[in-house]
Amino acid sequence: QGYQLQVPLPGVSGTVSGPGQYIRAIFTYGLSIVGIAALWAIVIGGFKYLRSGGSETRKTSGKEWIWGAVIGLVLMLCSWLILNTINPKLTSLSEPGLMAITLEPHRGLSYNEGTKTYDVKTWNDVKSLASYSNNDITAAVKAAAAAYPNVPEDMIWAVMGQESGKVGVSAVSPKGAQGLMQLMPGTARSLGVTDPFDPGQNVMAGTKYLSMNYQQFGNWTDTLGAYNAGPDRIRQYGSGANIPFKKTQDYIANIKGIVPQYF
């Protein structure tokens, strides 16, 4: 596939492969013009020098033409050498290659509760719950939901997907939150966690924290806002929906998109 030129250039056919080839042709054409102009300047300077007839003014004028042309050619050559030394592609004007990007298909996770099967689908593949097929994690979720009945299993999975994504048990946030449900070290210690990367301890403590917030605020918008930004933010702004942080609003919206039945 090429581009048809509306304004042809010498030495270039009517079609070019892309903008890079067209710019390269202009660059080459420009260098040719500069070279020809410099050659003519040398010829004119030499002619003036030879025709000076002993006049110092004409000799000086001829020399200036010659030296000006030579200096221009030297500067052009030095510029080319510098660019070519830094990066040869700067002088070849080749188009940059683009790395191909392959998107993985959307994935989710199914898990069973008796005869009922939940399909937990994430909002994008990066936050896929596919890595949570580990039996230890499934058992941890079931145990936590049994210990804190006001926190449904699918809510735990949804929070886990938002918090840890595909990283799983080893997830650590830039702020230091650890494990599947991303407990901050201080929160983890206050909830009795000794190993934040143990799925059983982490999920149980994270679910307990969800349960405590749900008991206090009575709805999942405020509960999730408290889990993400802290209970003090709910008291400060009156509701999780009023917290003016995009990260928290996205957090609530993403989980709501997975388990809308609780909102």
Side-chain angles (χ1 to χ4, degrees):
Q1 183 179 0
Y3 298 86
Q4 186 68 35
L5 296 181
Q6 298 297 316
V7 180
L9 289 173
V12 180
S13 62
T15 303
V16 294
S17 60
Q21 184 183 359
Y22 188 69
I23 295 173
R24 185 164 60 249
I26 294 175
F27 180 71
T28 304
Y29 187 55
L31 288 179
S32 301
I33 292 176
V34 171
I36 293 172
L39 179 61
W40 271 107
I42 292 173
V43 171
I44 292 172
F47 184 76
K48 284 189 172 187
Y49 187 85
L50 293 174
R51 298 273 297 178
S52 63
S55 171
E56 290 298 326
T57 302
R58 291 184 178 181
K59 284 184 179 181
T60 301
S61 177
K63 289 179 181 179
E64 288 177 349
W65 274 78
I66 294 171
W67 278 113
V70 171
I71 291 172
L73 287 173
V74 170
L75 288 175
M76 184 177 67
L77 178 61
C78 289
S79 299
W80 185 90
L81 288 174
I82 291 171
L83 291 174
N84 192 66
T85 301
I86 295 172
N87 186 346
K89 290 185 178 180
L90 294 175
T91 55
S92 65
L93 296 176
S94 57
E95 294 181 62
L98 298 178
M99 182 182 295
I101 299 175
T102 303
L103 298 179
E104 296 181 4
H106 182 85
R107 294 178 292 183
L109 171 74
S110 295
Y111 64 97
N112 297 319
E113 180 186 36
T115 59
K116 186 176 181 181
T117 299
Y118 292 96
D119 290 317
V120 181
K121 296 181 179 178
T122 60
W123 45 97
N124 60 49
D125 188 60
V126 177
K127 290 295 183 183
S128 171
L129 295 180
S131 61
Y132 298 144
S133 58
N134 184 297
N135 290 333
D136 291 341
I137 300 173
T138 301
V141 171
K142 289 184 176 296
Y148 300 98
N150 62 342
V151 183
E153 269 191 53
D154 42 359
M155 178 61 75
I156 300 173
W157 283 107
V159 170
M160 192 187 302
Q162 173 69 16
E163 292 287 352
S164 298
K166 294 169 69 175
V167 182
V169 296
S170 61
V172 178
S173 78
K175 292 186 177 181
Q178 300 170 320
L180 294 173
M181 293 174 70
Q182 292 290 275
L183 300 175
M184 293 297 290
T187 303
R189 285 192 297 270
S190 70
L191 295 170
V193 175
T194 58
D195 181 3
F197 300 110
D198 174 69
Q201 291 189 48
N202 192 296
V203 173
M204 184 65 74
T207 304
K208 180 180 180 180
Y209 191 49
L210 282 172
S211 176
M212 292 166 56
N213 284 312
Y214 188 80
Q215 288 176 354
Q216 181 176 359
F217 299 113
N219 65 79
W220 283 107
T221 297
D222 291 353
T223 297
L224 294 171
Y227 195 93
N228 179 259
D232 288 343
R233 296 297 188 184
I234 304 299
R235 289 185 281 270
Q236 179 182 359
Y237 295 106
S239 168
N242 296 333
I243 295 177
F245 306 138
K246 184 178 185 300
K247 180 180 178 181
T248 300
Q249 293 305 319
D250 289 346
Y251 180 89
I252 296 171
N254 288 338
I255 294 177
K256 184 177 180 179
I258 299 172
V259 284
Q261 63 270 32
Y262 300 116
F263 293 83

